[in-house]
Amino acid sequence: MNLLPFGDLPQFAPRRFVPDPINWDRWEEISPLFDRLETKATQCATSAEFEHWLLDWSELNAALDEEGSKRYIAMTCHTDNPEAEKAYLYFVEQIEPQLKPRQFKLSEIYLAHGLRGHLAKTRYEVFDRDTQVHVELFRPENVPLETDETRLGQQYQKLSGSLTVTFCGEEKTLIQMGRYLEEPDRALRQDAWELVANRRLQEVDTFEEIFDQLVKLREQIAKNAGFPNYLEYAFRARRRFDYTPADCRAFHDAIEQEIMPVLRELQAERRRQLNLPALRPWDLAVDPLNRPPLRPFEHADHLINRTQDIFTKLDHSLADGFAKMQQFHLLDLDNRKGKAPGGYQSTLAEARLPFIFMNAVGLQRDVETMLHEAGHAFHALASQNEDLYSYRSAPIEFCEVASMSMELLGGEHLEEFYSMPEANRARRDHLEGIVKFFPWMATIDAFQHWIYSHPGHSRVERTGAWLELIERFGDAVDWTGHEAVRAHLWHRQLHLFLHPFYYVEYGIAQLGALRVWANSKLNKAKAIEDYQRALALGGSRPLPDLFGAAGCPFDFSVRTVKPLVELVRSELAKLN
Ligand SMILES: [Zn+2]
């Protein structure tokens, strides 16, 4: 039974190395392909043969990647189907761990190969340095430590997911409680907020304990790999070749200097509109004019058609790309029973086609997610002609430029969904969200810089560092009576527990997206052309080149932040 929303997809190119068909459940069929690659490497006599070998390896990687993606898509579209779950878990637990040492071996063979130095430098420099890091950081003694790290991460997720409260006589998860913060009834909002905050407070020691253990493990991992601290290890492991911890600190400073005043202005305005003496933590999500939520569409079909109209207005090749996704049933957008929550874009690496999964229920948030994920999908389509598998995807700092730019560019045409005043309200909410995000991002990032450059710190010292940061990037909110909640707010940020140092990427990308949008205000056709040209580079060039091709400086100091914040501020003023 086909559990995928799409049928057979057109082959981008016929296989020439991986057998077709192949049974991916059988390691006995997969492992000989690695044997063959190992042997073939020794037989390469010219750089053309060596490049051919790299493409064989690419083909295998793309086929494996697509198999994993299909199993994941089938599972998330049918969470109630045990076969789908079994197939996915089998691949993740039985096949993928066996791939790791084999991939590592191939990386080693590549690095030691006599023909490596003969490859064209500009073409292979990114691939080369990524492969070097792959081999350089690997330490067998870190494997069990990384398993412990994953286990602790699961404990954190399990604990966070298990927390519930009883509200209006019903048991609710903390996520379900989120919507009450949008209720016009202030007393109700306060009740809901306090209930959730107090429930989390009961677990403070458990969260701290999990985090202490994670920090200890990470310090050991860094030490084993020969780094003085985890900060430096993480920058290398996350392949941050093109920016340094000092650049991130300059970014934090720029946010403090340029964005905090705008955030405080927005909050002062919210306070006036809500007619309150002071904003409290439960006053931040409600519409300040107490209007009901926007209703952009009824059914997923409307979402698709109106989004298609937006892309037609933006650019014909974007419109064609989105139409192609419809044609091949690569959009599964409606919320229905048995679907996993959330939304994502996934690339079918062998067919070189994107797929979008969502749970649309008819809110403005869905329109934003649709535009965002479509931006990722355009990235996959734009880099389709790249034959080297690893170059068909870019580093996350640039992937999010592709998606966040589309939120802003597409946001110019929200009248496909709304009357003009409603469209302006949606645009205003979006821009306010961007302003609010930067200080939070800086807080989380600066906190990690502190944590991993102060080995052996105590919990009290950590809380002190957090409070200093939250003061620095603090908003105009009155926390009286909830000081303990404020001191542990970071416990809700999953990235700190599961993906250390992964957060500043969103800030870097948001700057790029704002620049693409600013460029489009001067010359829309050129901005979109640059955007697509940059997307087409995939991951084949370093970050500064990708940003440069899109018409954005790769810089996150005041110089870049200041004019973009001015643009946001003047746009917000127009939307009033
Ligand atoms: Zn994204």
Side-chain angles (χ1 to χ4, degrees), residues 102-138:
R102 303 303 306 258
Q103 296 282 18
F104 181 74
K105 183 79 192 291
L106 291 177
S107 289
E108 279 186 319
I109 289 174
Y110 164 81
L111 289 178
H113 206 284
L115 288 166
R116 175 183 161 209
H118 292 83
L119 294 174
K121 189 175 172 300
T122 348
R123 168 70 182 150
Y124 288 100
E125 64 180 320
V126 171
F127 177 81
D128 197 87
R129 68 182 189 180
D130 283 348
T131 313
Q132 273 186 66
V133 170
H134 180 201
V135 171
E136 172 196 312
L137 293 188
F138 183 76

Side-chain angles (χ1 to χ4, degrees), residues 181-243:
L181 296 177
E182 295 173 22
E183 287 286 332
D185 180 346
R186 193 175 190 221
L188 182 90
R189 288 203 305 271
Q190 179 173 355
D191 279 353
W193 187 89
E194 285 179 341
L195 204 57
V196 169
N198 291 329
R199 182 67 194 88
R200 283 187 181 280
L201 269 187
Q202 289 170 16
E203 305 297 336
V204 156
D205 286 339
T206 321
F207 283 126
E208 292 280 327
E209 179 57 37
I210 293 176
F211 199 70
D212 280 345
Q213 290 185 44
L214 280 167
V215 171
K216 244 172 91 184
L217 276 173
R218 287 169 186 162
E219 281 168 359
Q220 191 59 46
I221 287 171
K223 211 172 140 199
N224 290 347
F227 287 82
N229 59 45
Y230 189 75
L231 172 84
E232 287 184 35
Y233 172 84
F235 265 68
R236 191 92 184 134
R238 303 201 63 81
R239 300 187 178 23
R240 293 180 177 175
F241 302 105
D242 305 300
Y243 59 101

Side-chain angles (χ1 to χ4, degrees), residues 372-373 376 400 403:
H372 181 99
E373 302 305 340
H376 286 309
E400 296 300 324
S403 54

